[in-house]
Amino acid sequence: MPPSFSLPLADLSTFFLALFALAWFLPRALLATVAVKRPLPPGPPTGWFGNFNLPSSYQWLHYAKWKELYGDIIYVYVLGNPIIVVNSAQAAEELFERRSRKYSSRPVRTMVVELMGWDWLFSSMPYGKRWKQHRSLFHRHFHRLLTSDYYSVVTKETYTTLRNLAHTPDDFAHHLRRTAAAIVMKISYGHEVSDKGDIYVTLADEAMQGLGMAGIFGTFLVDYLPFLKYVPARVPGANFKRQASIWRKKTRAMIDQPFQAVRERMANGTAIPCFAQKELEKLQQDVNSDPDYETVIKNVAGISYAVSTLLSFVLAMLVHPEVQTRAQQELDDILAMDRLPTFADRSKLPFIDCVVWECLRWNPVLPMGLARLVTSDDEYNGYFIPNGTSVLPNVWAILHDADVYPDPLIFSPERFSDQKKNDDLGINKLPWPAFGFGRRMCPGRWLAYETVWFSIACILSVYSIERCIDENGLEIVPEVAYTSSLLSRPKPFKCRFIPRSERADELIKGTAS
Ligand code: HEM
């Protein structure tokens, strides 16, 4: 979506806006003048106000092409906002990992955080005490060694998905997204997600839709010119304010309603064990507790999980049926079609691990990661990086670097099958950048990985994912096309989920008991 705003010249607020504008531009113009004296990283030619020809969709593809022109790090300057795009693993490791002290904050996201009300989401919080409080509470419940505590929830919800795929296979996209949401809702709030039209999933979906549309920094002009947030919503051209207030209601409802339900259940003695209930009980027993801590619990419980790795997996199986055949061979060798896989089988099913890694690499869920903010002046490879620069990790470019991932556009799980050989050759590193970097790296990655692994293992052990047939009897190969949003997902496509045998059918039905 292109930036949308036209200045409200006829309005009384113009005077104040002009004042804010001046206060915004002057220090930045000065900074730009000072910065010019030291070499900034290369980038497209920029005018005094900046570069207005930045890509407004599929930014990761454009910036990856720019890498050939400008190199690993690219500098752009837009309306007082210095921005750096990081296009290589080497630069990402140096800045986000080795210099994490300076690169672990987040930029002010005026549209998303201030206007749309996502300030509770700790992925958007600046580095500091408040963020640390949230992250450490999250870590206490989701660190690597605790993942097995959630196996029963993951198993139950994945089994529901297997049955749903049998009943209404055409709704596979809905079923796969429901699995992820149901696991997180059960863990956070003890809420059992219904098959269709679940109230909290609908709320989260609606709120996440707004986040998807406004999430990439710079989609709205107010991201670059934060003083525009003071423009009254009724002013012609201020449709971003009206849109933000609609999205804000959904964002608030998403975080308030399920948490309120947990509190009510606790009050009337029908509490269901879950993250929010356990933490609230601890808080009630702690006489010295911080009165604001309830908000921290509420915020952390609101982790939303709308990622689309499983949809990418289905698309990959249609485009590369030979991968499906190989994965099913591995499953059949171990399970003999006699039972469904369990987490205990993981070490015996290494190819399924390769499929998961390749799904994460092939089309990363967050192709532009989440933006960072530089919190003090820095220098990289002789280039000056000013304090206050927003840094955008081009995760897609990092995971499609042909020197590291030969034939990067091809879905090829085999690339990960011999990590010893890969290490010797310096290629096909496991695609951890899909989960980000350094201190802000995704803390839900252990749960996310195991959830995806288990779903793929279960689905492939009982279903064949097949292409649809057109009116001439020919197979339809779906196009590999993704949405251009913060959380990128495959564009809608069709396919068939067919139980692999009568025994597979029995195993699916048996999941109900
Ligand atoms: C395949 C699934 C997932 C992928 C690919 C993914 C990817 C990411 C990425 C790229 C980031 C930004 C990291 C950075 O700034 O360097 C992130 C942050 C985050 N993710 Fe995930 N994620 C996934 C699933 C999950 C799940 C299931 C949860 C919760 C249970 C979760 C919770 C978070 C949180 C809380 C943050 C913010 C961390 C912070 O700012 O300190 N993620 N994720």
Side-chain angles (χ1 to χ4, degrees):
M1 184 187 297
S4 65
F5 183 71
S6 58
L7 283 177
L9 293 176
D11 195 85
L12 270 180
S13 54
T14 306
F15 173 71
F16 294 102
L17 264 182
L19 268 186
F20 278 121
L22 215 61
W24 172 254
F25 270 119
L26 272 181
R28 279 163 178 77
L30 271 174
L31 170 83
T33 324
V34 173
V36 161
K37 299 204 176 100
R38 301 165 73 179
L40 292 160
T46 289
W48 198 80
F49 283 109
N51 189 312
F52 292 97
N53 297 319
L54 293 183
S56 59
S57 60
Y58 298 102
Q59 289 89 338
W60 50 95
L61 301 181
H62 292 277
Y63 294 142
K65 277 206 192 108
W66 285 6
K67 183 181 172 188
E68 289 155 28
L69 283 177
Y70 305 114
D72 280 9
I73 61 168
I74 298 171
Y75 179 83
V76 284
Y77 177 78
V78 189
L79 295 167
N81 297 267
I83 299 171
I84 279 176
V85 180
V86 174
N87 266 327
S88 76
Q90 204 188 11
E93 273 166 33
E94 177 60 35
L95 302 180
F96 301 131
E97 316 250 345
R98 282 190 273 285
R99 304 188 196 180
S100 61
R101 204 171 44 82
K102 288 183 181 177
Y103 288 83
S104 293
S105 201
R106 303 271 190 217
V108 175
R109 311 292 317 277
T110 313
M111 181 68 183
V112 167
V113 171
E114 295 187 26
L115 297 180
M116 288 167 60
W118 285 95
D119 52 335
W120 57 267
L121 195 64
F122 80 86
S123 59
S124 65
M125 290 177 192
Y127 191 77
K129 192 167 164 260
R130 188 163 171 257
W131 167 76
K132 278 189 187 152
Q133 230 183 353
H134 285 74
R135 179 119 185 168
S136 87
L137 175 58
F138 186 96
H139 183 73
R140 280 214 298 282
H141 288 260
F142 293 97
H143 66 76
R144 187 181 192 172
L145 299 177
L146 287 184
T147 322
S148 54
D149 287 6
Y150 303 119
Y151 284 170
S152 60
V153 175
V154 175
T155 304
K156 179 175 174 290
E157 295 304 340
T158 308
Y159 283 1
T160 304
T161 303
L162 292 183
R163 293 194 300 281
N164 288 347
L165 287 171
H167 296 146
T168 47
D170 291 348
D171 288 342
F172 70 94
H174 169 82
H175 300 323
L176 297 181
R177 290 180 66 231
R178 184 205 155 277
T179 321
I183 291 167
V184 168
M185 290 275 177
K186 180 76 187 164
I187 293 173
S188 282
Y189 303 114
H191 172 69
E192 298 274 348
V193 165
S194 57
D195 284 352
K196 271 254 151 98
D198 185 86
I199 166 177
Y200 300 141
V201 175
T202 308
L203 278 176
D205 269 358
E206 288 173 352
M208 293 298 290
Q209 234 174 9
L211 189 64
M213 286 166 83
I216 295 185
F217 181 82
T219 307
F220 285 86
L221 200 53
V222 68
D223 281 336
Y224 294 122
L225 303 174
F227 58 84
L228 292 178
K229 69 185 172 197
Y230 299 113
V231 173
R234 66 194 145 76
V235 164
N239 45 333
F240 73 98
K241 285 278 295 255
R242 295 189 285 279
Q243 184 59 61
S245 91
I246 296 170
W247 280 333
R248 190 182 181 86
K249 287 192 189 93
K250 299 191 187 300
T251 313
R252 280 312 330 164
M254 167 192 175
I255 179 85
D256 290 340
Q257 291 189 16
F259 192 73
Q260 185 53 26
V262 172
R263 273 213 300 233
E264 280 165 17
R265 282 200 305 263
M266 285 173 71
N268 63 29
T270 57
I272 300 168
C274 62
F275 163 83
Q277 160 272 335
K278 277 186 207 144
E279 284 299 324
L280 280 172
E281 261 175 23
K282 247 199 270 170
L283 185 71
Q284 283 162 4
Q285 284 154 15
D286 181 358
V287 277
N288 300 317
S289 65
D290 169 359
D292 289 339
Y293 202 67
E294 182 166 328
T295 311
V296 178
I297 299 171
K298 182 174 174 180
N299 294 347
V300 173
I303 43 172
S304 44
Y305 183 29
V307 299
S308 51
T309 314
L310 286 177
L311 273 185
S312 277
F313 152 71
V314 175
L315 184 59
M317 294 304 103
L318 297 171
V319 181
H320 295 279
E322 72 286 355
V323 172
Q324 178 168 205
T325 309
R326 180 163 170 197
Q328 284 171 334
Q329 188 59 58
E330 182 180 79
L331 286 157
D332 294 350
D333 287 349
I334 300 299
L335 309 168
M337 203 42 112
D338 188 42
R339 62 177 176 89
L340 285 163
T342 67
F343 284 97
D345 296 317
R346 188 156 158 219
S347 59
K348 289 171 263 163
L349 297 167
F351 190 66
I352 303 295
D353 268 308
C354 298
V355 173
V356 179
W357 284 121
E358 187 63 340
C359 288
L360 290 163
R361 184 204 69 84
W362 188 48
N363 280 290
V365 172
L366 283 151
M368 286 304 294
L370 293 180
R372 302 288 184 89
L373 182 81
V374 186
T375 47
S376 58
D377 286 352
D378 197 17
E379 195 176 304
Y380 175 74
N381 277 358
Y383 296 121
F384 176 54
I385 300 178
N387 177 21
T389 300
S390 296
V391 188
L392 312 182
N394 190 349
V395 171
W396 190 93
I398 291 170
L399 298 179
H400 287 77
D401 180 341
D403 291 337
V404 183
Y405 301 101
D407 295 323
L409 294 174
I410 306 288
F411 184 87
S412 166
E414 290 81 4
R415 67 171 79 243
F416 297 118
S417 54
D418 188 345
Q419 274 316 112
K420 164 90 183 65
K421 191 167 151 207
N422 283 339
D423 287 347
D424 292 344
L425 296 172
I427 56 169
N428 291 323
K429 296 186 174 148
L430 292 182
W432 284 109
F435 289 113
F437 313 88
R439 298 185 196 186
R440 302 298 293 246
M441 191 179 200
C442 175
R445 60 192 180 281
W446 309 113
L447 176 67
Y449 186 96
E450 301 229 15
T451 304
V452 172
W453 181 89
F454 189 67
S455 294
I456 290 180
C458 283
I459 290 172
L460 286 183
S461 65
V462 288
Y463 282 107
S464 176
I465 303 171
E466 294 189 11
R467 296 171 182 166
C468 290
I469 307 291
D470 71 12
E471 57 279 12
N472 301 315
L474 298 172
E475 286 185 350
I476 304 168
V477 184
E479 194 193 345
V480 177
Y482 277 71
T483 58
S484 170
S485 41
L486 177 75
L487 291 155
S488 180
R489 52 193 304 236
K491 290 191 173 169
F493 60 92
K494 292 195 169 136
C495 73
R496 298 179 299 158
F497 276 79
I498 300 173
R500 292 178 61 204
S501 62
E502 269 180 35
R503 177 67 189 139
D505 220 10
E506 281 168 21
L507 286 173
I508 297 166
K509 289 189 181 118
T511 59
S513 51

